[in-house]
Amino acid sequence: MVGKKSGKALLKEEGLERTDNDMSLTAWPHISAINQKNYYTEYLKRDDQILVFRLQSDENRNRLAKIAKDRDRALAHSNGNDVSMAEGDVDMEDVTAVEEAEGSVEEQPGSKVIVIHPGSQNLRIGLASDALPKTIPMAIARKSTTNECDGQGGEPKPKRLKSGNGEPLDSEEAFGKEFAQQFTSMSTELKSRMRTNKRRVLPSSKELVVNYNRRTPPERISEHNDPHRTEWTELPSDPNLAPDFFTGHAAIRIPDYSTPRYKLSWPLQNGWYNERDYDQRKLLDEAIATILEEAIKNQLGIKSKKAWAQYSCVFVIPDLYERRYVISGLEMFLREFGFARVCLIQESLAATFGAGYSSACVVDIGAQKTSICCVEEGMCLENSRINLKYGGADVTETFVKMLLYDHFPYADINLKRRYDFLLAEELKQKFCTMNEAEISVQLYEFHLRAPGQDTRKYTFKTYDEVILAPMGYFHPTIFDHSEKLQGRRRLIERSYDLYDGSPNDPLSNAQLEVYQALGYKPERKVESASVDVNVEATNGTGSMSFASRQLGNSPARLLHDDTEMTMRSSPAGSPVPDAENSTPQPGGQPSNQGTGPPVAAVDPIIEKISLAEDRDRVLASIPLDAAILTSISHGSQSDEKKTRDFMGGIMLVGGGAQIPGFNAFLEERLKEMKPTFAKEIMIGAPPRELDPQVVIWKGGSVFGKLKGANDSWISQMEYDRLGSRLLPYKCMWVW
């Protein structure tokens, strides 16, 4: 007996069964309705529901419990006669005071906090309890078959031009016509300025300098008669016993042609990772970690890495940082070095901590970068941040070029050689000045000390080279920028947002204005993007899409796969509507006149990536005085009171600003550019006779010793659970 058939079986037999071919009725994305049940939830709206804040409250609760137990124990020992505080009246200020009182007996505050401030040329590191940091070169030398002098075919630095037959050109032509014209125009401008200020200018000064330098031979001094001879790094006689690497001062004092050879490298250049001199990201990270590890062991005396777990670390980062640089530092300090806690502080904010200023316009002139930022009440104003890619090293190279232009007696100087690099830095520090009263024909001397050679004593004359080289801060086109962008983004890609795939490295309005002043136009790339997308759509080819070409292997490409939820364009272009049938626009014109290809929509993510790529091809270098005024204008937001406060609180820090007369010269330049604020403009040095080079580190040490007010510490457990996602909660600025 046949059973009764179901309704679905009957519909299938009759051909009336409904089938689903997985085709949606529309290509428009479906937006699900809001779940009304959870619409008014308090999830992640209270501090106790966020892990970072919950851990802080738990830590405070444990501290209070510890203080209460200690108090009860003390009361029990004293039989209740000494009651220091009523029960239940414990607050955080009392806890901090008690902890400081206890810590003063056991250990000095900050003795377990390491402050690290890496730079392009120098690393400053020390304990927060130290008065001054240890300063060592941020360099590492590893065994190699060649040294840095052999790179680029043995071309010296600064590079000299040669004639067609390979012969070296005369000194006036060795650096090209452009440098000669700029040098001559700057010299002429200086002479007219000196005449305006009633300074004496000799008409034949240049001829006197050139004639003397041409005919002055060096004097040789035997090494044992030189009381100031350089102590070079000694290597064992057996090359197999030589160390694999040297760091710091020992690295830059290795003889260039030692046995075995060592190649010197600087992992950080121009405030960026040095991607030009490294082939792999791993080698670059290892170099930075090795330099820091050796500095902690040798300079701070903390030999055992097991003891590092008892220490905390204050990591000083640039104002306009790159996220990958910051996250890599956190990874290294917490996981590789094993520090208990790490906190971050920006350079300009650290400078105000070190100088004791509440509001200031901080100008940090380093070896290879210059950063400017306005700080107000303990906060870096994010739109005022500027990062320029020149510094004291550019002044050194330009000074050497100007000396060679005027027939410097040591014509074979090469900044790629280690002893010549040390000599050039010494010449700049001794002779460069910005006091116009000191500009005259001067006779100087220096000693050339090379490993394995007798000391040579040179005498030479200078005229205006000593002031024109540091004036390059206000004429940055005279600096050599040809190699600063080489290898950029070759090893380390920019940071992308986890959710929408757009670049998320910080960018301020002031820095954007600097880029625009150098020819960067944000609107240009939008048009080209529209044309590229449209041409590919109309051609209907199967080649890689514009989005794939622009995004490469970045996280943003995941958002442009075939699985994305937004509607994608058809490979074939839509037909162009006729002009008379097209949709009219509010202005009375049709949307398409039929006289060109159809306009395709531009993906905003692709647009942001394209703009970021354009910015990577622009080197930020504008005159220093113009950059300071740009930063102040964006920091004050047209508020006259703030403008006057920042104009009267310009603070110069960094080693590049240690040129005699530099503060007065910059102040005069700013008054000429802003005569309405001439009375307010004032440039001051850091107080308490503090060395401008260590002000930032000193501010980091002050910040590291704060207890009750510092909630920026990142522990290992927090970072293991949340990673870089906790940085928005821990940073004192918008991450």
Side-chain angles (χ1 to χ4, degrees), residues 21 48 116 137 226 257 407 444 465 518 578 645 722:
N21 55 6
D48 59 351
I116 299 177
D226 183 8
Y257 296 99
H407 295 268
Y444 296 117
E465 304 91 340
L518 296 170
D578 295 333
D645 291 343
L722 297 178

Side-chain angles (χ1 to χ4, degrees), residues 62 166 185 219-220 254 337 380 456 495 503 522 532 552 569 605 691:
N62 294 335
S185 63
E219 175 187 350
R220 291 190 175 270
I254 301 175
F337 288 4
C380 291
R456 283 170 281 175
S495 174
D532 287 350
S569 304
I605 298 175
D691 186 358

Side-chain angles (χ1 to χ4, degrees), residues 221-466:
I221 303 173
S222 58
E223 188 176 359
H224 63 274
N225 290 331
D226 183 8
H228 302 288
R229 59 181 179 271
T230 304
E231 297 295 334
W232 302 101
T233 302
E234 295 185 2
L235 298 176
S237 56
D238 186 359
N240 297 324
L241 300 178
D244 292 333
F245 63 87
F246 288 93
T247 61
H249 293 288
I252 64 175
R253 295 186 185 276
I254 301 175
D256 292 274
Y257 296 99
S258 61
T259 304
R261 293 274 188 92
Y262 284 85
K263 186 173 183 180
L264 187 70
S265 59
W266 306 78
L268 299 178
Q269 292 281 274
N270 304 111
W272 292 326
Y273 283 116
N274 182 9
E275 302 175 68
R276 182 183 66 235
D277 298 336
Y278 286 87
D279 297 328
Q280 299 178 19
R281 168 72 185 273
K282 181 181 178 181
L283 299 177
L284 180 58
D285 292 337
E286 285 181 355
I288 297 175
T290 302
I291 294 173
L292 295 177
E293 183 175 342
E294 292 297 312
I296 295 173
K297 290 181 178 179
N298 300 327
Q299 300 296 327
L300 304 185
I302 311 173
K303 301 290 186 179
S304 174
K305 292 193 72 171
K306 294 181 179 179
W308 293 6
Q310 304 173 12
Y311 288 82
S312 303
C313 174
V314 177
F315 183 28
V316 184
I317 64 173
D319 303 323
L320 271 179
Y321 53 86
E322 291 187 345
R323 292 193 175 211
R324 291 194 182 275
Y325 171 75
V326 178
I327 295 174
S328 298
L330 280 176
E331 291 270 352
M332 178 173 58
F333 294 140
L334 289 173
R335 293 182 176 167
E336 186 174 346
F337 288 4
F339 289 140
R341 304 181 302 173
V342 176
C343 74
L344 308 174
I345 184 172
Q346 292 172 295
E347 290 176 340
S348 295
L349 181 59
T352 58
F353 270 79
Y357 292 166
S358 60
S359 298
C361 177
V362 181
V363 182
D364 176 20
I365 305 177
Q368 297 178 5
K369 75 171 180 64
T370 298
S371 60
I372 307 168
C373 181
C374 294
V375 180
E376 183 182 25
E377 302 299 337
M379 290 292 293
C380 291
L381 302 180
E382 57 181 18
N383 281 327
S384 67
R385 296 174 293 180
I386 290 180
N387 194 312
L388 305 175
K389 299 305 178 184
Y390 57 74
D394 296 281
V395 174
T396 303
E397 183 179 355
T398 305
F399 184 47
V400 171
K401 291 170 72 173
M402 290 181 175
L403 291 176
L404 291 172
Y405 187 89
D406 289 339
H407 295 268
F408 188 55
Y410 178 39
D412 194 34
I413 187 171
N414 180 7
L415 297 184
K416 291 182 179 179
R417 288 198 291 254
R418 294 155 200 167
Y419 59 87
D420 282 348
F421 170 77
L422 297 174
L423 172 65
E425 289 289 331
E426 180 184 355
L427 293 177
K428 181 190 72 172
Q429 293 173 7
K430 283 186 176 180
F431 306 134
C432 280
T433 180
M434 299 205 75
N435 293 324
E436 293 181 0
E438 301 178 10
I439 303 306
S440 61
V441 178
Q442 301 280 350
L443 179 64
Y444 296 117
E445 65 179 29
F446 69 92
H447 295 78
L448 175 62
R449 299 177 175 91
Q453 302 178 20
D454 290 338
T455 301
R456 283 170 281 175
K457 178 183 177 181
Y458 287 88
T459 58
F460 68 104
K461 285 187 176 181
T462 64
Y463 177 51
D464 55 1
E465 304 91 340
V466 293

Side-chain angles (χ1 to χ4, degrees), residues 424-646:
E425 289 289 331
E426 180 184 355
L427 293 177
K428 181 190 72 172
Q429 293 173 7
K430 283 186 176 180
F431 306 134
C432 280
T433 180
M434 299 205 75
N435 293 324
E436 293 181 0
E438 301 178 10
I439 303 306
S440 61
V441 178
Q442 301 280 350
L443 179 64
Y444 296 117
E445 65 179 29
F446 69 92
H447 295 78
L448 175 62
R449 299 177 175 91
Q453 302 178 20
D454 290 338
T455 301
R456 283 170 281 175
K457 178 183 177 181
Y458 287 88
T459 58
F460 68 104
K461 285 187 176 181
T462 64
Y463 177 51
D464 55 1
E465 304 91 340
V466 293
I467 190 174
L468 292 182
M471 279 181 63
Y473 288 130
F474 309 99
H475 302 83
T477 53
I478 200 171
F479 293 150
D480 183 11
H481 303 300
S482 58
E483 298 181 356
K484 294 182 179 179
L485 290 177
Q486 289 184 5
R488 179 74 170 142
R489 303 296 183 193
R490 186 170 63 89
L491 301 178
I492 303 171
E493 205 171 1
R494 68 178 60 85
S495 174
Y496 293 95
D497 187 83
L498 182 63
Y499 298 102
D500 62 7
S502 60
N504 59 357
D505 282 329
L507 177 67
S508 66
N509 292 341
Q511 185 75 7
L512 189 59
E513 185 172 333
V514 170
Y515 286 137
Q516 292 174 352
L518 296 170
Y520 166 74
K521 298 180 180 179
E523 66 275 6
R524 175 177 55 82
K525 196 67 180 180
V526 178
E527 298 174 1
S528 62
S530 302
V531 173
D532 287 350
V533 173
N534 186 41
V535 167
E536 186 167 326
T538 52
N539 290 341
T541 59
S543 60
M544 184 185 295
S545 66
F546 175 80
S548 301
R549 291 199 310 271
Q550 292 295 325
L551 299 178
N553 296 323
S554 67
R557 183 166 185 178
L558 300 176
L559 302 174
H560 294 80
D561 288 339
D562 294 334
T563 58
E564 64 181 348
M565 296 301 295
T566 55
M567 180 181 63
R568 306 188 65 174
S569 304
S570 170
S574 302
V576 181
D578 295 333
E580 51 193 49
N581 296 330
S582 57
T583 306
Q585 297 298 313
Q589 299 295 331
S591 61
N592 195 332
Q593 298 294 336
T595 58
V599 179
V602 180
D603 193 327
I605 298 175
I606 298 177
E607 179 185 342
K608 291 179 181 178
I609 295 174
S610 302
L611 296 178
E613 290 176 350
D614 275 355
R615 289 193 297 269
D616 284 343
R617 289 189 285 267
V618 179
L619 189 74
S621 60
I622 65 172
L624 180 62
D625 46 2
I628 293 174
L629 295 179
T630 301
S631 175
I632 291 177
S633 65
H634 285 277
S636 61
Q637 295 292 331
S638 302
D639 188 336
E640 186 174 352
K641 183 179 182 303
K642 288 185 179 181
T643 302
R644 295 183 184 277
D645 291 343
F646 289 140

